[in-house]
Amino acid sequence: MIHIMDFSILICLILSMASSGSSNVALNGRTTTFNVLDFGAIGDGVTDDSQAFLKAWNAVCTARTTSAMLIIQRKKTFLLSPTVFSGPCKPPQIHVLVLGDITAPKTRSAWGRSSYWLIFQYIDGFIINGKGTLDGQGSSWWPSLYYKQELLNDTNSYDMDDVARPIALGFSFCNNLQIYGLNVINSPSKHVKLFRCNGAILSNLNIKAPKESPNTDGIVIGECSQIQVHDNNIGTGDDCVAILKGSSNINISRVACGPGHGISIGSLGMNGAYDTVEEIHVQDCSFTGTQNGIRIKTWQGGSGYARKISFQGITLNAAENPIIIDQYYCPQLHCPNKTSAVKVSDISYAGVQGTSMTKTAINLRCSQSMACTNIELKRINITSVGQKFVTSSFCLNAHGRASRSIPNLRCLMK
C-alpha cells in the first residue's frame, strides 16, 4: 500500500510524467500510471470529458499490475457529467491523484435523473487524494422545487432528497478506502457519502457550501464500519458529519465544523424502522456558529439502539443547541405520538466547553416510554456568548450521572 510518507518521491516522478503527457509507465515494476489527457480529456472546463475519464478508468481498472494510478492533470479544469466508476478492478490498489480541478454541469438539464455526480463503487484498496477542487455547482439546485418537499422529509435518511438533488461524491461497497486532501465544494446535496464501506480514512478534506444551502451535509456515513474521520474543515448548510443507521466503530477527531448543523447521529427509526448505531466516538472537535453542536436524533415509533457513544474534548464557539438528545425528531409539520422508540444508552460527554447562543445548552429529550440510560456528563462548562444570560439544562426521562457541570444537571435522574 502507498502511504502518505511515500508520496514525496513518488509524486515528483508522477508530476514529471504528467507534464510530458506520458502514461502507462511502471514505477519500480509495481505502479502503473495513466493520465486522463492521453484518453482524450481536454480540461478546458467547457468540453464534457466524461467519456475520456471512463476510458482512462477502464484502463486503470483492468491493468495487470499490483498498483495503478490515474492522474488528473494539474492546471486543468475538467467538466464531468454524472459518472459511475465501477469495480471490481484487477489491481489490488487503485489510486486517483487529483491535481487539477473537476467541475459539474452548471445547468440541471445536463444531470438527467442521477442520484450522484461522481460515484466509486465495488473497489477495494482505493485511494483518492490531491489538492484539486471538485465543484458540484449546486447553486442551481438549492432553490429547486424539491426543496419545499424535502423540508417535510428526514434530510439524513434514504429518502427522496437523495434522488431529487444529486450527492457530489459517493463511495459504495469500497473496503480499505482512503480519501484525503481534496476540496469538495457546492454540492447540490450531500458532499461526500459512504455507504456499506468497511475500513476507510477521510482526512484533511476541505468541504464548503454556503450556510443557506439546504441539506448540503459535509460527510455522511451509512451502514459502514471501521471508519476514521480526522483533521477535516467542514462548513455547509447541514450536518458537518452525519452517522446513519447500521454504522459502528466510527471515530471522528479534530474536525472544525461551521457553519452547519453540527455532528449528528441519526436520524434513526424513521417510519417504524429498526435501526442501530454503536461505538461512535467524537473527540477534539470544534463548532463555530453552528445551529447544533453534538446531537443524537431518533423518530418516535422506531426501534433498535444507539449505544456506546462518546463525545470528548469539544469546543463551542457561539454554537446553538450545544448538546442534544432528541427522541422526538420531526422535521415535518406534524408527527403522531408513538410509544415505541430507539433505545439510547451508554452515552458519555467529557470536556465540553465554550459558548452557547441558546439558553438551553443541554437538552436531553428522551422517550417517555423508553428511558435514556447510563448517560454520563463530566467537566462540562457551557456559558452564554458575552455572559448575556445563564445557560440551563432540560431533561426528560434521562438517567445517568453528572459531575462538574455548567449548567447544572439536577434534572438528570439516577
Side-chain angles (χ1 to χ4, degrees), residues 1 92-95 123-127 174-177:
M1 178 177 290
Q93 177 178 282
I94 298 288
H95 184 184
I123 310 161
D124 292 342
F126 182 50
I127 301 172
C174 295
N175 301 319
N176 301 318
L177 170 69

Side-chain angles (χ1 to χ4, degrees), residues 204-240:
N204 299 105
L205 300 175
N206 290 294
I207 301 175
K208 295 295 179 183
K211 180 180 180 179
E212 298 78 17
S213 58
N215 310 132
T216 51
D217 303 68
I219 296 171
V220 177
I221 299 169
E223 299 187 34
C224 296
S225 62
Q226 305 296 335
I227 309 297
Q228 299 180 47
V229 179
H230 66 82
D231 297 289
N232 298 298
N233 189 0
I234 305 173
T236 68
D238 211 300
D239 294 332
C240 291

